[in-house]
Amino acid sequence: MSPIIAERLRGLVYGQAIGDALGVGGEFHSAHDMRRIYPEGLSEYEQIRRSSHAGVWKPGEWTDDTEQFLAVLESLLDSGVAEGDVDLGDIARRFRQWLARDGRGIGNLTFVVLTHECFLEAPHEIARQLWEQRGRRSAPNGAVMRTASLAILPWERDLQAAARTVRAICELTHADPRCAWSCLVTSFVAACLVRGDDDIPGACERAMVCGRALGLDEAAGEETRSWIEMALCGERRKGRAIKFIGHDPGRGYCLKTLYAGLGDLSLGHGPGQGYTMRTMAAGLWAAWHAESFADGLLPVINSGGDADTNGAVAGALLGARFGGSGLPLRWVEGLVNRERLDAALQRMQPVLGNER
Ligand SMILES: [Mg+2]
């Protein structure tokens, strides 16, 4: 594997875990609460308030988002990444094993799907049935939170086959087409970034073409497009934002939030904080606008809302863009159980080794 890809993969895997572990301090808070609880901004694991929710994790410990990300990743490393090798039943079993062993932080929909008595025999049917029972309205971020792991699929060999795999893994638990769309865009952007292609708007465009060729729901595709535009359009105002950061470096990221469009995503107020499009957009916003890993991650986390999940996706994309060496060392070293990340990374070397 080229050293650049290895470096960016390390960024992706560690970035996911860091964003998740740091974001847990912001989960379920409004942006207003975040400013009250963390007047200096949340930027260290040790700052995280030991509330009844966040207190169930140690400082620096990742949550369900990265557990499921690793379940997918480790399954792919065992089975192979080609469409015919990916073992969906094995991924479903790993989700269930994690739930039995730990289960902390699991989302409502994922919980009812995984605990259904027929889940292991027919996960796709169960996920669809439960989504339909909820009036087909529910499109939470429980699949997009784990999807950056699919950057390692062989996209360059067969784009549509990789896209089908993304969809199949999403639909193990989440049947709504908005979930599949957000997973496809996020996975493909992650795949491009890992391979050194930083043209995020271009990657989104190609993912949209790919989703249509896959036959994904068109109305959900239009909604995806509008969220992508909302996430990326702040670019127009970037010059102004940078000017403001110059005035107040310590609080710079808050000012930049106002001027570069993160506020439009309403991460920490209003209903639907765990909406899959919102999480995808937070990741795209961060990876596209940031000047560094921290510069993208901190405003996302400090916006509150579903901050660990938004942080996980933003962290993965930012890590893929800035690479392992772009991650602040204290966040890398403060992670609990990081040996598991290193073990997965070591096994990834041969997987992507023959692709370029
Ligand atoms: Mg979580």
Side-chain angles (χ1 to χ4, degrees):
M1 175 163 41
S2 90
I4 294 167
I5 294 181
E7 159 73 2
R8 285 185 170 225
L9 268 179
R10 201 173 88 80
L12 180 144
V13 170
Y14 267 91
Q16 160 96 21
I18 290 169
D20 183 1
L22 206 51
V24 79
E27 197 179 7
F28 304 133
H29 293 309
S30 67
H32 176 77
D33 284 347
M34 287 301 287
R35 285 191 293 275
R36 186 174 51 78
I37 300 168
Y38 305 104
E40 305 300 315
L42 169 60
S43 62
E44 309 302 326
Y45 304 131
E46 292 72 23
Q47 270 179 289
I48 295 174
R49 206 171 58 160
R50 310 292 293 163
S51 64
S52 57
H53 174 69
V56 307
W57 290 279
K58 297 176 198 148
E61 191 177 22
W62 62 69
T63 76
D64 57 318
D65 309 69
T66 305
E67 282 291 332
Q68 289 188 37
F69 167 98
L70 286 169
V72 172
L73 193 58
E74 289 165 350
S75 177
L76 294 178
L77 292 171
D78 283 346
S79 68
V81 290
E83 189 180 21
D85 295 334
V86 173
D87 186 344
L88 297 169
D90 179 62
I91 296 173
R93 274 192 298 282
R94 288 173 196 250
F95 289 164
R96 265 281 270 274
Q97 283 160 3
W98 162 74
L99 177 62
R101 183 179 80 237
D102 178 345
R104 288 172 297 167
I106 192 166
N108 293 334
L109 178 62
T110 308
F111 180 79
V112 293
V113 172
L114 293 192
T115 52
H116 192 286
E117 57 183 1
C118 300
F119 171 71
L120 289 180
E121 291 80 68
H124 288 117
E125 288 74 6
I126 297 305
R128 172 155 291 274
Q129 213 180 79
L130 290 166
W131 171 66
E132 285 173 352
Q133 276 172 21
R134 292 179 162 214
R136 297 170 162 241
R137 281 191 303 272
S138 182
N141 54 17
V144 76
M145 71 184 197
R146 63 188 184 225
T147 208
S149 51
L150 302 176
I152 69 165
L153 296 178
W155 292 92
E156 49 279 269
R157 205 185 301 154
D158 187 340
L159 194 68
Q160 287 305 126
R164 282 193 296 272
T165 303
V166 170
R167 179 185 192 173
I169 293 174
C170 166
E171 291 178 351
L172 285 171
T173 50
H174 289 68
D176 193 291
R178 293 168 292 180
C179 297
W181 270 110
S182 59
C183 283
L184 176 58
V185 171
T186 305
S187 307
F188 187 63
V189 168
C192 291
L193 289 172
V194 158
R195 288 158 178 82
D197 175 1
D198 291 345
D199 175 13
I200 293 173
C204 289
E205 200 50 54
R206 284 156 69 204
M208 293 300 299
V209 172
C210 191
R212 278 194 294 273
L214 200 61
L216 289 180
D217 181 81
E218 279 184 29
E222 279 315 302
E223 167 134 28
T224 308
R225 177 177 294 288
S226 74
W227 279 91
I228 291 170
E229 283 170 3
M230 225 187 320
L232 303 183
C233 75
E235 175 69 3
R236 285 199 301 270
R237 287 169 282 182
K238 200 170 178 184
R240 207 171 156 198
I242 288 167
K243 197 170 136 197
F244 268 81
I245 286 166
H247 284 302
D248 188 356
R251 306 280 296 163
Y253 58 85
C254 292
L255 291 167
K256 185 171 178 181
T257 301
L258 290 173
Y259 288 90
L262 184 62
D264 296 342
L265 304 180
S266 303
L267 298 182
H269 47 90
Q273 292 181 3
Y275 182 32
T276 192
M277 291 293 168
R278 193 161 270 125
T279 296
M280 171 196 77
L284 294 176
W285 177 87
W288 181 235
H289 291 98
E291 308 288 331
S292 70
F293 182 84
D295 176 49
L297 183 63
L298 291 176
V300 167
I301 283 173
N302 282 280
S303 297
D306 201 348
D308 63 327
T309 301
N310 296 337
V313 172
L317 297 183
L318 285 160
R321 180 169 162 217
F322 294 105
S325 59
L327 305 168
L329 204 57
R330 66 185 196 285
W331 288 346
V332 171
E333 291 178 343
L335 279 176
V336 175
N337 298 328
R338 54 185 279 217
E339 318 72 52
R340 191 168 162 205
L341 307 182
D342 291 330
L345 281 164
Q346 240 170 17
R347 297 182 60 207
M348 270 186 227
Q349 300 257 351
V351 176
L352 277 176
N354 302 321
E355 295 301 331
R356 284 174 99 85

